[in-house]
Every structure is written in structure tokens, then in C-alpha cells.
Amino acid sequence: MAFSARVESSAISNINVTPLVDVLLVLLIIFMITAPVITHKTRIDLPQGSNKPIADRADTIRLAIHADGALYWNDTPVDEPQLKTQLAIAAQQNLQPRLSIDAADGAAYQAVAHVLSEAKAQGLSRIDFAASH
């Protein structure tokens, strides 16, 4: 039994482009269908700005919480009942002031959470946290 090994020295260099053409035709059809949707114009009514300066700017209240738990309302020491009163007064103003809470690095989390919950309970909505230096 003789076997003959047929060895070809040249590689097949033909590329089958039929699948490529099929994919391109499908993509062309998809783009043709979606193109009118993309170019559809939608009318949007945006609010117009004004050049008038804002006359009423709300004040910023600085509430400092020290490491020992002491509270300072604009650098004036306050206790719990005074803090509740000040927060209630600030919440009832026409243009609510911005409350900036400045907690010291060693301040207890519970003290900060209590002040924050009290401010929210009184109705203050503009509350920020200031970075301690």
C-alpha cells in the first residue's frame, strides 16, 4: 500500500466576501430605517433667564461643633434650647438662610447627627457642611 502525500506549497488566498456584504446590507437597512427618527425635531420650551440681579441673598449661618460638644452659632456659644429656638427662627424666614455646619475633627458623630436631625425637623432645607481648618 502506497500512500501519496500531496503537499501544496501555496496557501489559499481567496477571501469569501459574501458574509461581509450581507452584514453591510443589513446595517445599511437599519440606518435607513432609523435615520428619519434621528432627524425628527422636537420643540422644547426652555426657561428664559433674566439679567436682573438677585436682590435678596440669603445669609449663611455658621454652626460650629467643637470636639467637646460645644455649639457656636455664628461664633456665639449656644446650648440645646437656644439652638432649637435659633433654628426655628431661621426656618420661618421668607428666604431661608443657608446653615453651614462646621464639625471639628474630634466631634462626636452623635452630636453632628443630632444637630442635623434637629435642623431638618425645624424645616431648614439648605444645609451644608464646611471643612474645618
Side-chain angles (χ1 to χ4, degrees):
M1 273 198 199
F3 291 104
S4 67
R6 200 170 155 190
V7 177
E8 293 185 17
S9 61
S10 65
I12 299 174
S13 62
N14 297 337
I15 297 176
N16 189 2
V17 294
T18 305
L20 178 65
V21 172
D22 290 343
V23 170
L24 290 177
L25 286 175
V26 169
L27 288 175
L28 179 65
I29 292 170
I30 290 172
F31 286 132
M32 287 173 56
I33 292 172
T34 60
V37 176
I38 294 172
T39 59
H40 179 61
K41 294 182 181 178
T42 303
R43 180 171 166 74
I44 299 175
D45 294 326
L46 296 175
Q48 300 297 320
S50 66
N51 292 334
K52 293 188 292 184
I54 299 174
D56 296 329
R57 292 257 176 190
D59 294 334
T60 299
I61 298 170
R62 292 178 320 278
L63 180 62
I65 304 172
H66 288 205
D68 59 354
L71 302 171
Y72 289 86
W73 183 275
N74 287 337
D75 299 328
T76 303
V78 292
D79 56 1
E80 281 293 321
Q82 290 173 335
L83 176 66
K84 288 182 182 182
T85 304
Q86 291 290 345
L87 289 173
I89 292 170
Q92 292 179 1
Q93 293 179 359
N94 288 339
L95 186 60
Q96 282 190 358
R98 183 175 304 276
L99 179 64
S100 178
I101 299 175
D102 184 10
D105 288 339
Y109 172 78
Q110 187 64 30
V112 177
H114 177 70
V115 168
L116 185 60
S117 67
E118 188 63 38
K120 289 288 219 178
Q122 293 295 335
L124 285 172
S125 59
R126 301 172 64 191
I127 302 172
D128 293 334
F129 286 97
S132 306
H133 296 289

